Amino acid sequence: QVQLEESGGGLVQAGGSLRLSCAASGLTFATATIGWFRQAPGKGRDFVARISSSGDFTEYADSVNGRFAVSRDSAKNTVYLQMNSLKPEDTAVYFCAATYSWLSGGYDYWGQGTQVTVSS
């Protein structure tokens, strides 16, 4: 079955950086769009970024544009989210998700999430 496993979360001071990883298995990785989402305590799940199957297209939420970068390594079936200039408001559980459709906006598979905490 499809499995997505996030890693790389942790505690960091404001202004610092973290790189999250999303390792995929059981998925036709080469044809999958991978998205990153986050959920802060008491809030809904918000879109953060996504990358197309080819890696040629990326999209970011306004709140992270210019600070976060999404990339993928097809040889490792892994997508990364490089997070720089972190702010306390970036504190959340971060999830990766997969879909075979860039256009639909919906995701079929989800990971369990990794906690990111940014201290002020």
Side-chain angles (χ1 to χ4, degrees):
Q1 72 273 23
V2 174
Q3 288 189 324
L4 300 174
E5 184 172 359
E6 302 94 339
S7 62
L11 174 65
V12 63
Q13 288 188 332
S17 299
L18 282 175
R19 188 178 78 158
L20 304 184
S21 299
C22 173
S25 60
L27 186 73
T28 307
F29 188 78
T31 62
T33 288
I34 305 295
W36 284 97
F37 295 78
R38 66 187 182 186
Q39 186 166 17
K43 297 188 176 181
R45 190 171 296 187
D46 294 327
F47 168 77
V48 175
R50 64 173 177 164
I51 186 165
S52 65
S53 56
S54 65
D56 291 338
F57 301 100
T58 57
E59 184 179 356
Y60 298 92
D62 290 344
S63 58
V64 307
N65 197 22
R67 299 188 297 122
F68 290 12
V70 60
S71 62
R72 62 194 294 155
D73 184 338
S74 295
K76 297 182 178 180
N77 280 13
T78 300
V79 170
Y80 303 99
L81 184 67
Q82 178 67 44
M83 306 187 296
N84 300 324
S85 302
L86 283 161
K87 305 175 181 179
E89 50 264 44
D90 294 317
T91 294
V93 177
Y94 283 71
F95 301 88
C96 64
T99 176
Y100 290 118
S101 174
W102 172 267
L103 294 177
S104 74
Y107 289 79
D108 303 302
Y109 308 101
W110 291 82
Q112 294 299 306
T114 185
Q115 176 71 47
V116 172
T117 303
V118 184
S119 63
S120 57

